[in-house]
């Protein structure tokens, strides 16, 4: 098919479905889009150094975020990872992938990223050590949707927020098991 009859991108990343708003320039189309934000927070019974290390090991993330099917390093591109999301919502299977680029972390305070390909998103996970030894973990994820679908994205926001909250609660359980295993190892 000629370029003008191809499905139109949902975002600047080439998903199909949005209305065409601009001309063609080196093969790219301009689509007006908005961002939907979701935030979740949990206080875990693990100390900050353990929590930090767990989040740094991105291959472990599917242990507490089951909708994230895999996270793999991009060969030859330090700081880039390929993410694959698989979920079933409303009786429908969905699958999305993206390449995320890590921004320089603020050690033991913040990790953050933005996508460079695929599902357009950005976010941060922040960490706050409490005086009682527990750690507050906050996650903010933003994803782009076309202007015409922003109300739909906003309507889904409570669902996404509840998924993120459940993920962070699973992280709390996971991190507690890691701390317990570390303690068991010290007693041997």
């Amino acid at each position: 098919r000629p370029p003008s009859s191809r499905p139109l991108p949902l975002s600047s990343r080439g998903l199909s479905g949005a209305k065409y708003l601009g001309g063609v320039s080196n093969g790219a189309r301009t689509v007006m889009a908005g961002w939907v934000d979701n935030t979740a927070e949990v206080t875990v019974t693990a100390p900050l150094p353990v929590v930090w290390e767990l989040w740094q090991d991105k291959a472990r993330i599917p242990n507490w975020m089951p909708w994230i099917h895999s996270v793999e390093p991009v060969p030859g591109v330090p700081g880039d990872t390929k993410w694959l999301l698989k979920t079933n919502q409303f009786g429908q299977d969905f699958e999305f992938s993206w390449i995320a680029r890590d921004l320089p972390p603020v050690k033991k305070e913040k990790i953050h990223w933005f996508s460079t390909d695929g599902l357009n998103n950005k976010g941060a996970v922040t960490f706050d050590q409490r005086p009682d030894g527990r750690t507050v973990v906050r996650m903010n994820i933003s994803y782009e949707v076309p202007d015409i679908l922003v109300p739909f994205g906003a309507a889904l926001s409570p669902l996404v927020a509840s998924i993120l909250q459940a993920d962070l609660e699973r992280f709390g359980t996971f991190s507690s098991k890691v701390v317990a295993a570390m303690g068991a190892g010290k007693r041997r």
Side-chain angles (χ1 to χ4, degrees):
R1 295 191 298 194
S4 61
S5 66
R6 291 188 186 137
L8 300 174
L10 177 63
S11 76
S12 56
R13 298 291 167 73
L15 300 172
S16 62
K19 71 180 185 181
Y20 174 65
L21 296 175
V24 175
S25 171
N26 72 1
R29 290 191 172 111
T30 303
V31 174
M32 300 298 290
W35 289 85
V36 177
D37 297 319
N38 289 103
T39 302
E41 178 179 310
V42 69
T43 301
V44 300
T45 58
L48 178 58
V50 171
V51 169
W52 178 260
E53 290 305 319
L54 289 172
W55 278 95
Q56 290 299 302
D57 186 359
K58 291 179 183 64
R60 287 187 177 206
I61 290 174
N63 285 302
W64 59 85
M65 297 179 98
W67 53 288
I68 299 295
H69 182 73
S70 62
V71 182
E72 300 172 352
V74 174
V77 189
D80 280 15
T81 47
K82 180 173 183 167
W83 294 65
L84 178 60
L85 179 155
K86 292 184 178 183
T87 187
N88 181 292
Q89 301 296 325
F90 314 109
Q92 181 72 37
D93 290 325
F94 294 93
E95 184 174 304
F96 301 98
S97 65
W98 65 93
I99 303 294
R101 175 155 305 144
D102 291 342
L103 295 167
V106 179
K107 189 165 182 156
K108 296 184 182 171
E109 289 183 29
K110 179 179 179 181
I111 58 172
H112 49 148
W113 69 91
F114 65 96
S115 65
T116 61
D117 189 41
L119 182 66
N120 205 8
N121 70 90
K122 58 188 174 182
V125 181
T126 59
F127 310 93
D128 184 29
Q129 179 75 53
R130 293 180 45 141
D132 62 5
R134 297 184 302 160
T135 304
V136 177
V137 180
R138 284 179 209 89
M139 177 184 287
N140 177 269
I141 295 178
S142 302
Y143 49 94
E144 185 183 34
V145 296
D147 278 348
I148 197 166
L149 295 179
V150 168
F152 180 71
L156 284 179
S157 192
L159 171 66
V160 174
S162 70
I163 291 169
L164 292 178
Q165 187 64 43
D167 290 342
L168 288 184
E169 289 168 9
R170 274 188 292 276
F171 174 75
T173 301
F174 185 85
S175 62
S176 293
K177 289 178 181 177
V178 169
V179 168
M182 290 170 61
K186 290 180 183 178
R187 290 190 292 269
R188 292 182 188 173

